[in-house]
Amino acid sequence: MFEPVGTLEADEAPDFDVLITAEEAWPAFERAVFRATTHVHGSFRVFDLRTRLRSAEAQAVGKDWFDLLAYVVARGVKVTLVVSDFDPIMATPLHELTWQTVRQAVALSEVANAKPGQVTIKAGLHPARAGLLPWGMLLPAVVKRKWDQMAGLSKDRLRRQAVLLNRKAMPELRTVTHHQKLAVIDDDTLFIGGLDLNERRFDTLDHDRPARETWSDVHLLMRNGPEVAEAKAHLDTFLDVTAGIQEPPKLELIKRTMSAPRRLQFPYLSPRTVVSDIEAAHIDSFRSARHLIHIETQFLRSSAIAGALADAAMRNPDLRLLAILPALPESLAFYGEDGLDTRFGMGLQKDAVETIRDAFGHRATIASPVRPVMSSRDSLAVLAGSPMIYVHNKVLVRDDSYGLVGSANLNGRSMKWDTEAAVTITGQDRLSKLRARLLSHWWFDDLPAEAITPETLQNWWAKAIAENGVCLPENRTGFLVPYDPENQSTLATSLPGITENIV
């Protein structure tokens, strides 16, 4: 059943690949796993083995990731994955997805005739919990939500998927998750960025799909460099670090966010931040930037990030900013969820954008992508008359001297609480390739030199994006139009006394 198919030798691919959307990223990941000879070690927020295979190599052994992993396990490859688990009461659907994957792993071991310990796919529930004081204050609402959630699920789902929701113990309140998305294959290949693995995350480079199915993302494939060993060291230790039983290893190229339970948790909802490398890397980059800061992010909600950008703009009158954001949060745009968490996040982003624009003035260009067609109906998922494209990218590029790609958004949660991982990019060749791939993805025509040169880039894009915003969709030259800070701004809510890190 699992006879070798084709060659297992690595192709002549470069040591640094920039992969835009799942259309590029998933086939590259599949090929790396297909060629594995010793092990695949990873950590993802979502990893559904029912996800369809897209590469010709992987499709030769099956139709989905279950088949691909069964094939490599039968060849003797060891598979170790941590799939993030979630508070079973407050995030029941995500909790169910995780335990579906755990059950898939049991079947995988049986089908592939795995040796003991050869396949380990575990649900990683972050150990930080709300302290007794906030837990007690929130307990009545949590208990009510638990019973409401249980009432909507069958006995089979409670037993097989929503496993922690069904236990009789008093409910806990978990406020932190492992949000990273990375894998190391055979100690020589690193796959890292913002993309998880399930069909919701699939999108194409042309985004020719309904708005709620779009998903722009960025991942990197890096080979034979020191980043790979550092990523493996992080994967080997992050569970113990976040449990508070080990100090984090010192890493240079892999930047992280990690937190652990507080030693005195009683009055606190928040965990103890152990490592905040990613926030520090952003702030240091802003301070040392000479000409250009280019960011693409799902959320821009951190007051520390916004403040550091504003400080950099005030100190350096030559500094310019290009930022790409989604038009609205996914929860509101596609699902109509306008609860307090969505409203609070929108309020934080409104404040952050105002802070940045006040400091940069015309030197900042903030844009959102939309499909180049007229929207067929009135919808929240519309900007400039066109269906929005959802941005899940997590990228920083500073001048021609520094880049960072990973899983962290520019919000307090990613900067201080959740487990995040990103990789540092240096070297002008790599940075030029990263910037060119990012920008060409958003544009339909070949870009002139002034559109990709740090000293002139923002001026060119400011003009081009403004023109896109006032012409008919079919006449636009790219996906980007001006970001609208007033879009649904009446929903934006301030919550004094509530930490911004919670959203």
Side-chain angles (χ1 to χ4, degrees):
M1 179 178 179
F2 295 112
E3 292 296 321
V5 176
T7 178
L8 300 181
E9 295 182 3
D11 55 23
E12 296 182 358
D15 288 342
F16 178 77
D17 278 353
V18 181
L19 307 166
I20 309 292
T21 76
E23 182 180 27
E24 291 189 343
W26 286 357
F29 188 25
E30 292 165 13
R31 286 190 287 268
V33 170
F34 176 83
R35 291 192 298 263
T37 59
T38 58
H39 70 264
V40 176
H41 189 180
S43 175
F44 290 80
R45 187 171 184 262
V46 177
F47 201 100
D48 188 347
L49 273 59
R50 298 170 299 182
T51 306
R52 290 188 294 112
L53 298 170
R54 266 74 182 188
S55 67
E57 295 89 340
Q59 288 174 347
V61 300
K63 64 179 177 24
D64 56 28
W65 267 84
F66 184 96
D67 294 335
L68 175 58
L69 291 183
Y71 170 72
V72 299
V73 169
R75 290 202 340 260
V77 174
K78 184 176 182 179
V79 174
T80 305
L81 289 174
V82 177
V83 183
S84 304
D85 202 359
F86 302 85
D87 187 294
I89 299 170
M90 307 309 293
T92 305
L94 287 168
H95 173 65
E96 287 191 88
L97 274 178
T98 297
W99 283 91
Q100 283 181 19
T101 301
V102 172
R103 293 181 63 82
Q104 290 166 355
V106 175
L108 173 66
S109 295
E110 294 175 355
V111 167
N113 196 26
K115 297 176 181 179
Q118 187 183 356
V119 175
T120 303
I121 301 181
K122 65 173 68 175
L125 188 60
H126 196 290
R129 311 170 192 174
L132 191 59
L133 180 61
W135 174 83
M137 295 172 63
L138 296 169
L139 183 61
V142 173
V143 170
K144 181 182 184 303
R145 183 176 175 89
K146 176 178 179 177
W147 290 113
D148 289 345
Q149 295 287 71
M150 291 182 67
L153 300 178
S154 66
K155 290 182 179 180
D156 187 61
R157 282 177 67 180
L158 286 169
R159 182 170 63 89
R160 293 173 178 269
Q161 294 174 194
V163 293
L164 299 183
L165 182 68
N166 198 30
R167 63 184 182 181
K168 296 180 180 179
M170 288 292 286
E172 300 172 335
L173 188 57
R174 305 277 184 155
T175 56
V176 190
T177 66
H178 301 302
H179 187 254
Q180 61 192 355
K181 308 107 187 320
L182 74 160
V184 171
I185 301 100
D186 287 352
D187 292 339
D188 61 17
T189 301
L190 170 62
F191 181 71
I192 187 169
L195 191 62
D196 282 304
L197 195 77
N198 76 343
E199 289 296 333
R200 168 66 186 100
R201 273 77 177 173
F202 183 79
D203 196 5
T204 58
L205 288 166
D206 61 10
H207 305 289
D208 189 14
R209 302 158 66 83
R212 66 187 296 158
E213 296 179 16
T214 58
W215 194 273
S216 176
D217 225 323
V218 180
H219 232 85
L220 301 180
L221 200 64
M222 307 178 76
R223 304 170 182 86
N224 303 314
E227 304 91 348
V228 184
E230 289 197 8
K232 185 176 185 300
H234 170 63
L235 286 170
D236 287 341
T237 58
F238 81 90
L239 289 176
D240 285 343
V241 173
T242 55
I245 60 178
Q246 178 178 336
E247 290 298 312
K250 294 186 183 302
L251 306 177
E252 296 295 327
L253 299 173
I254 298 297
K255 304 299 182 182
R256 303 150 293 171
T257 302
M258 288 191 286
S259 66
R262 293 177 181 269
R263 294 177 178 86
L264 178 62
Q265 190 69 50
F266 173 80
Y268 295 102
L269 183 68
S270 62
R272 170 176 59 94
T273 300
V274 177
V275 178
S276 54
D277 293 342
I278 296 173
E279 181 182 60
H282 278 83
I283 292 173
D284 288 347
S285 288
F286 302 159
R287 288 172 178 163
S288 57
R290 297 174 57 216
H291 301 291
L292 180 73
I293 295 166
H294 174 184
I295 56 176
E296 302 192 9
T297 183
Q298 180 186 8
F299 302 128
L300 179 51
R301 298 174 174 176
S302 165
S303 61
I305 292 294
L309 279 168
D311 288 346
M314 300 298 287
R315 286 198 309 269
N316 180 0
D318 294 327
L319 184 61
R320 295 174 181 270
L321 171 71
L322 175 64
I324 314 296
L325 312 173
L328 282 176
E330 179 191 17
S331 58
L332 177 63
F334 303 144
Y335 307 110
E337 297 173 3
D338 60 355
L340 200 54
D341 54 344
T342 296
R343 292 169 178 255
F344 185 37
M346 292 175 68
L348 292 171
Q349 183 149 308
K350 187 172 184 291
D351 291 344
V353 169
E354 286 179 358
T355 297
I356 293 165
R357 281 192 156 154
D358 286 347
F360 277 92
H362 70 277
R363 294 180 286 139
T365 297
I366 305 179
S368 297
V370 295
R371 293 180 55 217
V373 297
M374 189 72 73
S375 178
S376 60
R377 61 188 179 90
D378 188 23
S379 167
L380 288 173
V382 170
L383 180 65
S386 296
M388 65 180 277
I389 295 168
Y390 192 64
V391 178
H392 196 257
N393 306 2
K394 296 98 167 53
V395 179
L396 161 69
V397 187
R398 180 198 73 203
D399 298 325
D400 276 330
S401 55
Y402 186 86
L404 195 68
V405 176
S407 62
N409 295 302
L410 300 184
N411 59 341
R413 172 172 285 280
S414 284
M415 297 293 102
K416 297 293 189 185
W417 287 14
D418 286 348
T419 305
E420 308 279 8
V423 64
T424 300
I425 302 143
T426 56
Q428 190 168 346
D429 288 347
R430 287 187 170 188
L431 288 164
S432 296
K433 181 176 182 178
L434 175 60
R435 175 179 289 116
R437 287 300 323 280
L438 292 170
L439 295 178
S440 63
H441 162 236
W442 295 126
W443 212 242
F444 303 153
D445 299 334
D446 291 339
L447 291 169
E450 63 182 315
I452 55 176
T453 302
E455 291 86 344
T456 57
L457 183 158
Q458 187 265 336
N459 270 335
W460 190 93
W461 283 91
K463 182 176 182 293
I465 290 168
E467 290 175 353
N468 264 358
V470 295
C471 68
L472 292 173
E474 59 268 26
N475 295 329
R476 293 178 187 144
T477 318
F479 292 116
L480 298 179
V481 297
Y483 173 79
D484 181 6
E486 298 304 316
N487 189 9
Q488 303 299 315
S489 63
T490 56
L491 294 176
T493 300
S494 176
L495 296 176
I498 302 298
T499 175
E500 67 178 46
N501 299 340
I502 202 165
V503 293

